[in-house]
Amino acid sequence: MASLYEYQNSNLTNNLAMYSTVSWHAQTFTVGSVGSNTPHIATRVKLYIRRGSPSIAGTLTVSIRRVDGSNVPTGSDLCSGTYPLDGIVYQDWHEITLGNGALLLPSTRYAIVWRRLDVADDWLNFAFSGTPADPYNPGVMFTSGDS
């Protein structure tokens, strides 16, 4: 049975949408800010996603990346996985497997990065917490038109 390390499953008070353009989004987190502050291999993540219509198609790519000194996601993916958008129900948690995973080190900040590279005339909505009660505090949400 897999262990739960970092998590944010409450206070989902904010959201952002991916519209019909190429877009990248990320949420930073620090190992040990919630859960055990031990080295571990991250092999999957869950995102709370709502889709715009039942006809949505394409692929969502999700990865974990390091962050730079300004806490901005940087470099190549440490691990990644894809999720078929037609598998998204109206609004729910969706688990994305990240291949062989990546070793995450204690008290180190990383980013969960998700992007949709195929442009479609539809939208996805992702919930995240941006409140002071956020267990990922001082985690930051990012959005970009490229990597």
Side-chain angles (χ1 to χ4, degrees):
M1 183 166 157
S3 297
L4 177 63
Y5 288 91
E6 291 72 42
Y7 60 91
Q8 165 58 30
N9 56 10
S10 62
N11 299 321
L12 299 175
T13 57
N14 293 309
N15 62 68
L16 61 89
M18 290 179 133
Y19 291 98
S20 55
T21 59
V22 173
S23 56
W24 294 62
H25 303 286
Q27 171 72 48
T28 64
F29 65 95
T30 302
V31 173
S33 63
V34 175
S36 178
N37 193 21
T38 59
H40 60 278
I41 296 176
T43 57
R44 56 194 172 151
V45 297
K46 286 187 179 183
L47 296 176
Y48 196 74
I49 308 171
R50 177 174 57 139
R51 70 180 180 188
S53 76
S55 63
I56 195 167
T59 302
L60 183 70
T61 300
V62 179
S63 63
I64 295 179
R65 290 187 176 193
R66 291 182 177 87
V67 296
D68 64 17
S70 299
N71 296 315
V72 175
T74 189
S76 60
D77 296 337
L78 300 176
C79 57
S80 68
T82 59
Y83 195 82
L85 297 180
D86 59 2
I88 296 174
V89 296
Y90 175 69
Q91 184 170 310
D92 204 354
W93 288 98
H94 297 273
E95 183 173 293
I96 298 92
T97 301
L98 302 174
N100 292 326
L103 176 64
L104 303 185
L105 301 175
S107 303
T108 304
R109 185 170 291 180
Y110 298 93
I112 299 170
V113 179
W114 59 97
R115 65 254 191 204
R116 182 178 179 188
L117 302 179
D118 51 333
V119 178
D121 189 23
D122 207 331
W123 59 270
L124 296 171
N125 202 357
F126 298 86
F128 65 95
S129 175
T131 69
D134 184 355
Y136 280 154
N137 191 26
V140 179
M141 188 276 302
F142 291 92
T143 187
S144 172
D146 59 20
S147 64

